[in-house]
Amino acid sequence: MARNAKPSTRKPGRATAALDASAALLDPPRAEPVRIETVRIEIVRLPHASGLPLPKTQTSGSAGIDLIAAVDPYGPIHLAPGKRVLVPTGLVIALPPGYEGQVRPRSGLALKHGVTVLNSPGTIDTDYRGEVKVILINHGDAPFAIERGERIAQLVVAAVAHAELVEVAEITATDRATGGFGSTGKS
């Protein structure tokens, strides 16, 4: 702008607003990178898991580590409809203090075969040192064969907080009060 020129008092027109909107689409604001915490978990592979890959996430955005069936290499476990079975993974883990392992179903097994984790999510406590095993149930219509090396569940590692229960004479009131089990309505 020239030294003695007056600034324009003209309001931006449609063309200027459209250019500004186009520029925003071409160069959207950038979100700060998300730092995902990595938790070190010590693991021991038991003899019946020999030759199987260690559990891992399948994509960089996966929350769960896939757990693998360490069943007999000479034949699968057959899970009949309506039945449940305890499936070994052949792994012993040592979670660090302040964390738990949540054993969760794999959505593909649930959708395609009706097979899911019965006590979902199953909890692995930080002081548990036994083999990780998964309780599967077949809610489907057909028997399901659990093959050696098949991905059967996911392990999600989550931070935990310990609760301190404090007995009081009365709890503060809320609008919801004692309503539960669908009391807030549909969707």
Side-chain angles (χ1 to χ4, degrees), residues 9 11 14 41 44 62 70 105-108 121 146 161 163 165:
T9 57
K11 294 183 180 173
R14 288 185 188 172
I41 300 172
V44 172
S62 296
R106 294 196 63 241
S107 59
I146 303 165
L165 301 180

Side-chain angles (χ1 to χ4, degrees), residues 3-155:
R3 189 172 198 176
N4 293 329
K6 294 181 181 176
S8 172
T9 57
R10 198 177 105 193
K11 294 183 180 173
R14 288 185 188 172
T16 306
L19 287 174
D20 289 345
S22 296
L25 289 174
L26 294 175
D27 191 22
R30 302 203 195 292
E32 291 295 318
V34 176
R35 185 181 178 289
I36 298 175
E37 182 179 358
T38 299
V39 178
R40 184 174 185 260
I41 300 172
E42 294 176 346
I43 189 165
V44 172
R45 189 188 322 235
L46 298 175
H48 59 280
S50 178
L52 293 174
L54 287 177
K56 65 178 184 175
T57 56
Q58 296 300 307
T59 69
S60 63
S62 296
I65 299 166
D66 285 334
L67 295 174
I68 297 169
V71 299
D72 188 342
Y74 302 106
I77 294 176
H78 294 281
L79 183 56
K83 299 296 180 185
R84 60 188 175 269
V85 67
L86 188 60
V87 182
T89 66
L91 302 174
V92 175
I93 63 174
L95 292 164
Y99 291 89
E100 68 161 326
Q102 298 175 359
V103 179
R104 298 182 183 186
R106 294 196 63 241
S107 59
L109 285 181
L111 177 63
K112 296 173 187 172
H113 306 286
V115 174
T116 190
V117 175
L118 184 58
N119 62 325
S120 179
T123 297
I124 301 171
D125 294 309
T126 191
D127 58 350
Y128 175 69
R129 292 297 184 267
E131 179 180 5
V132 174
K133 297 181 180 181
V134 179
I135 306 169
L136 292 181
I137 187 165
N138 185 349
H139 288 300
D141 299 327
F144 180 73
I146 303 165
E147 304 278 350
R148 181 173 179 79
E150 183 160 4
R151 294 180 292 151
I152 56 168
Q154 306 179 62
L155 176 67

